[in-house]
Amino acid sequence: MPASQLPFSIQEYANRLEKTRLAMEAKGIDILFVEDPSNMAWLTGYDGWSFYVHQGVLVFKDADPIWWGRAMDGNGAVRTCYMDDERVLRYPDHYVQANTLHPMQHLAEVIRAHGYANKRIGLELENYYFSAKAYLVLQEELPDAKFVDATALVNWQRAVKSDEEIAFMRRAARISEKMIDGIVERIEPGMKKNDLVAEIYADAIRGVDDDWGEYPAIVPLLPSGSDAAAPHLTWDGRRFEEGQATFFEIAGCYRRYHAPFCRTVFLGRPPQYMLDAEKALVAGIEAGLDMARPGNRAGQVAEALYGELEKAGIRRDGRCGYSIGISYPPDWGERTISLRREDETILEPGMTFHFMPGLWMADWGLEITESILIKEEGPAETLCKRPRELIVKE
């Protein structure tokens, strides 16, 4: 029987399936195979730490989706997916990490059995979870099929959030606030980084009131001093030092929905160049938020930010944000819309982004970021409600 405690209503899943089918029709896809766990969860409700083996969802034009995966994980599928149990198909364990067999051979059997061996099959070719070997095996097993690149086809359907999704992201934002508040309260010179990270995880998992937290798609990032020039360092056992800045990139996560949030803490008295950068960065964020209105281009948000930074003599280019929502490791971005000059995507109400204008200089770094929601009118709303500032703890 279908899962009894789905995170969303059946109508919500029906709406998502209809949007996906329309996108399939536009690309001439007869059947779609989705292996991205975020897309699997968005389409069916499936939730489990099983994305280290091949699994996926088959989307049809005229029938409920099929969850397909490892036999033992099928037990999780019948407990988390909205479809009836007969829509859960399992491959035996002797396919797992075998030298002579590959799970895609079993998937090909399923596709043949449903009459799609010579049809147009959509695949997420640019994806963390779908390997080159998987593609080659499917080509060999289904020589009469036409494979269509369906990279990010489902991801794009996720761009505009429903009211139910936004409610989850607001809950995640409350957890993000708790995590940052805990960091500011506890951090001090001499404290070991791993000890603080243990408290960060405790806040993240305990959540807020009855809104329990989950593991985020990215671990806490917290480089200090000159290491803060490198945005993706994690932690070690070194101690925080007076006279150094540490930025914290974290995200509360509720029912797999994320609200990334970054703040920088300086222990002691910050140098003037960092205070000047803080002022320019905050002005840039304010300008970007004002530009993040429905009808504007994603690139205009980046242009507004960079314009303010350039007034202060700070040169920054590239991406300064990305679409967010439901996600699994190793990334909490949706891999669709980017806040950068070249992105022509028109902003729509219900889109959500991590507005992430970090500054990573030669020997220091500063991060002040916001998860934002595009509103029906007016500037974007920040999901977290904390001051935008360099936090000084003397």
Side-chain angles (χ1 to χ4, degrees), residues 43-322:
L43 285 167
T44 71
Y46 180 68
D47 183 24
W49 191 281
S50 54
F51 41 82
Y52 63 96
V53 295
H54 286 290
Q55 59 180 15
V57 169
L58 286 167
V59 182
F60 303 86
K61 291 181 177 180
D62 55 2
D64 279 346
I66 284 177
W67 180 96
W68 168 86
R70 190 179 185 182
M72 67 175 66
D73 296 318
N75 297 336
V78 299
R79 287 164 170 80
T80 58
C81 294
Y82 78 85
M83 303 89 70
D84 291 333
D85 290 1
E86 59 264 25
R87 306 302 287 179
V88 172
L89 301 183
R90 316 166 189 231
Y91 62 81
D93 222 53
H94 59 253
Y95 282 95
V96 176
Q97 299 174 7
N99 294 325
T100 57
L101 293 172
H102 195 281
M104 290 300 145
Q105 293 171 308
H106 186 274
L107 179 65
E109 291 178 13
V110 173
I111 292 173
R112 279 194 294 268
H114 284 79
Y116 289 89
N118 62 346
K119 303 296 185 180
R120 290 172 59 85
I121 302 172
L123 300 174
E124 297 177 314
L125 294 179
E126 177 71 5
N127 194 280
Y128 301 127
Y129 313 90
F130 185 74
S131 66
K133 180 64 176 289
Y135 181 53
L136 293 175
V137 172
L138 282 177
Q139 283 186 313
E140 182 178 350
E141 293 291 320
L142 299 170
D144 296 325
K146 169 66 175 177
F147 293 104
V148 180
D149 186 2
T151 299
L153 183 147
V154 178
N155 303 58
W156 277 100
Q157 311 319 307
R158 293 160 38 195
V160 176
K161 308 300 181 293
S162 68
D163 290 342
E164 292 183 46
E165 291 179 293
I166 292 170
F168 279 12
M169 295 186 72
R170 292 191 188 282
R171 294 178 181 184
R174 301 291 79 74
I175 298 172
S176 299
E177 291 171 343
K178 179 180 180 181
M179 294 165 71
I180 287 294
D181 291 346
I183 289 167
V184 175
E185 178 184 348
R186 298 182 183 106
I187 188 173
E188 60 183 21
M191 185 180 195
K192 293 172 65 177
K193 284 197 168 189
N194 59 296
D195 285 339
L196 183 55
V197 171
E199 298 296 337
I200 293 171
Y201 269 118
D203 285 339
I205 304 307
R206 289 195 179 101
V208 177
D209 299 326
D210 292 333
D211 296 334
W212 44 271
E214 292 191 73
Y215 61 92
I218 301 177
V219 302
L221 306 175
L222 54 153
S224 302
S226 65
D227 285 350
H232 295 136
L233 299 183
T234 57
W235 67 87
D236 52 27
R238 286 181 289 177
R239 300 178 186 275
F240 293 103
E241 298 179 17
E242 187 169 358
Q244 287 189 343
T246 303
F247 69 71
F248 294 85
E249 184 170 350
I250 56 91
C253 180
Y254 180 78
R255 302 302 291 257
R256 302 310 319 148
Y257 282 78
H258 291 68
F261 193 39
C262 307
R263 288 294 184 266
T264 302
V265 180
F266 197 96
L267 296 177
R269 181 170 297 180
Q272 188 60 46
Y273 66 80
M274 190 165 285
L275 295 174
D276 294 341
E278 172 202 19
K279 181 179 179 180
L281 187 55
V282 170
I285 294 172
E286 296 289 346
L289 290 173
D290 189 60
M291 191 59 67
R293 299 168 181 259
N296 285 347
R297 294 179 295 103
Q300 289 178 270
V301 179
E303 289 168 355
L305 165 74
Y306 297 148
E308 291 297 325
L309 292 179
E310 287 167 5
K311 292 177 185 178
I314 298 173
R315 175 68 178 171
R316 191 190 189 286
D317 216 330
R319 274 204 322 174
C320 61
Y322 43 83

